[in-house]
PDB file of all heavy atoms in Angstrom:
ATOM      1  N   HIS Y   8     -10.494 -13.750   3.016  1.00  0.00           N
ATOM      2  CA  HIS Y   8     -10.215 -12.340   2.680  1.00  0.00           C
ATOM      3  C   HIS Y   8     -11.158 -11.868   1.538  1.00  0.00           C
ATOM      4  O   HIS Y   8     -11.817 -12.673   0.907  1.00  0.00           O
ATOM      5  CB  HIS Y   8      -8.772 -12.118   2.271  1.00  0.00           C
ATOM      6  CG  HIS Y   8      -8.283 -12.849   1.066  1.00  0.00           C
ATOM      7  ND1 HIS Y   8      -7.741 -14.118   1.136  1.00  0.00           N
ATOM      8  CD2 HIS Y   8      -8.325 -12.531  -0.289  1.00  0.00           C
ATOM      9  CE1 HIS Y   8      -7.410 -14.530  -0.110  1.00  0.00           C
ATOM     10  NE2 HIS Y   8      -7.754 -13.579  -0.956  1.00  0.00           N
ATOM     11  N   GLU Y  55      -7.373  -7.937   1.129  1.00  0.00           N
ATOM     12  CA  GLU Y  55      -6.214  -8.090   0.284  1.00  0.00           C
ATOM     13  C   GLU Y  55      -6.283  -7.042  -0.834  1.00  0.00           C
ATOM     14  O   GLU Y  55      -7.228  -7.074  -1.624  1.00  0.00           O
ATOM     15  CB  GLU Y  55      -6.259  -9.487  -0.365  1.00  0.00           C
ATOM     16  CG  GLU Y  55      -5.110  -9.732  -1.361  1.00  0.00           C
ATOM     17  CD  GLU Y  55      -5.303 -11.078  -2.105  1.00  0.00           C
ATOM     18  OE1 GLU Y  55      -6.416 -11.408  -2.586  1.00  0.00           O
ATOM     19  OE2 GLU Y  55      -4.292 -11.765  -2.194  1.00  0.00           O
ATOM     20  N   HIS Y  79     -12.576 -10.126  -5.788  1.00  0.00           N
ATOM     21  CA  HIS Y  79     -13.021 -11.488  -5.480  1.00  0.00           C
ATOM     22  C   HIS Y  79     -13.238 -11.645  -3.967  1.00  0.00           C
ATOM     23  O   HIS Y  79     -12.861 -10.853  -3.169  1.00  0.00           O
ATOM     24  CB  HIS Y  79     -11.945 -12.483  -5.953  1.00  0.00           C
ATOM     25  CG  HIS Y  79     -10.623 -12.425  -5.247  1.00  0.00           C
ATOM     26  ND1 HIS Y  79      -9.566 -11.562  -5.718  1.00  0.00           N
ATOM     27  CD2 HIS Y  79     -10.141 -12.994  -4.188  1.00  0.00           C
ATOM     28  CE1 HIS Y  79      -8.571 -11.704  -4.903  1.00  0.00           C
ATOM     29  NE2 HIS Y  79      -8.855 -12.592  -3.949  1.00  0.00           N
ATOM     30  N   ALA Y  81     -12.735 -14.643  -0.947  1.00  0.00           N
ATOM     31  CA  ALA Y  81     -11.964 -15.865  -0.750  1.00  0.00           C
ATOM     32  C   ALA Y  81     -12.486 -16.577   0.535  1.00  0.00           C
ATOM     33  O   ALA Y  81     -12.582 -15.993   1.600  1.00  0.00           O
ATOM     34  CB  ALA Y  81     -10.466 -15.558  -0.584  1.00  0.00           C
ATOM     35  N   PHE Y 117      -9.090 -20.564  -8.021  1.00  0.00           N
ATOM     36  CA  PHE Y 117     -10.238 -19.714  -8.347  1.00  0.00           C
ATOM     37  C   PHE Y 117     -11.334 -20.527  -9.082  1.00  0.00           C
ATOM     38  O   PHE Y 117     -11.030 -21.430  -9.868  1.00  0.00           O
ATOM     39  CB  PHE Y 117      -9.804 -18.558  -9.263  1.00  0.00           C
ATOM     40  CG  PHE Y 117      -9.155 -17.443  -8.530  1.00  0.00           C
ATOM     41  CD1 PHE Y 117      -7.770 -17.319  -8.481  1.00  0.00           C
ATOM     42  CD2 PHE Y 117      -9.925 -16.484  -7.823  1.00  0.00           C
ATOM     43  CE1 PHE Y 117      -7.166 -16.277  -7.788  1.00  0.00           C
ATOM     44  CE2 PHE Y 117      -9.330 -15.441  -7.174  1.00  0.00           C
ATOM     45  CZ  PHE Y 117      -7.943 -15.345  -7.120  1.00  0.00           C
ATOM     46  N   GLU Y 129     -12.570 -17.416  -4.717  1.00  0.00           N
ATOM     47  CA  GLU Y 129     -11.290 -18.113  -4.448  1.00  0.00           C
ATOM     48  C   GLU Y 129     -11.491 -19.012  -3.265  1.00  0.00           C
ATOM     49  O   GLU Y 129     -12.115 -18.641  -2.261  1.00  0.00           O
ATOM     50  CB  GLU Y 129     -10.228 -17.027  -4.091  1.00  0.00           C
ATOM     51  CG  GLU Y 129      -8.884 -17.557  -3.721  1.00  0.00           C
ATOM     52  CD  GLU Y 129      -7.937 -16.368  -3.352  1.00  0.00           C
ATOM     53  OE1 GLU Y 129      -8.053 -15.286  -3.853  1.00  0.00           O
ATOM     54  OE2 GLU Y 129      -7.058 -16.629  -2.500  1.00  0.00           O
TER      55      GLU Y 129
HETATM   56 ZN1   ZN H 201      -7.287 -13.485  -2.971  1.00  0.00          ZN
END
Side-chain angles (χ1 to χ4, degrees):
H8 62 269
E55 175 186 48
H79 65 271
F117 282 98
E129 176 184 329

